Amino acid sequence: MPEEKVYDDVEVHDMNDGFQKSNHANVSASEGQNGAPVIWKALSVVIAMAAVIYDLSPIDVVPDAVPIFGWLDDVGFTLMAALNAYQQFSKDQSAMVVRLAKYVKWMMVAFIVLAGVAVGGLVTAIIALVTQ
């Protein structure tokens, strides 16, 4: 039952208190207080390990010899993997920070895809100019 607040002998009921408690109970029942399902946690660990392997590997989408951009792809993959792991292992999946991590993670994915398309287009344009 929501707490009652009394101001100057007027009783005020906060309608959001009851909604948040019942909504939180539904989230707790479906996802549990231990974070995301185990399969998503395991996948986030695999993604994090793949990001570390990618960072250590001499084979990159953008070679590390390219100034600044060579390291940005490594940092982007690692940051995306870290945000994903944080999101999956967070106890309260409905928290604002977890939702923010989710959106930032997907913006990083979109940025990485767009950067890959841009680099691919640049390489294609250079090859086309050289072969003419």
Side-chain angles (χ1 to χ4, degrees), residues 7 21 37 60-61 91 108 113 123:
Y7 300 102
K21 289 177 185 172
D60 282 344
V61 173
K91 298 235 184 256
M108 290 293 300
V113 169
V123 168

Side-chain angles (χ1 to χ4, degrees), residues 91-125:
K91 298 235 184 256
D92 185 10
Q93 291 290 302
S94 63
M96 177 64 92
V97 176
V98 174
R99 291 185 297 180
L100 182 63
K102 178 177 121 179
Y103 293 124
V104 171
K105 173 187 73 172
W106 284 111
M107 287 191 316
M108 290 293 300
V109 169
F111 178 74
I112 290 169
V113 169
L114 288 174
V117 169
V119 168
L122 184 61
V123 168
T124 303

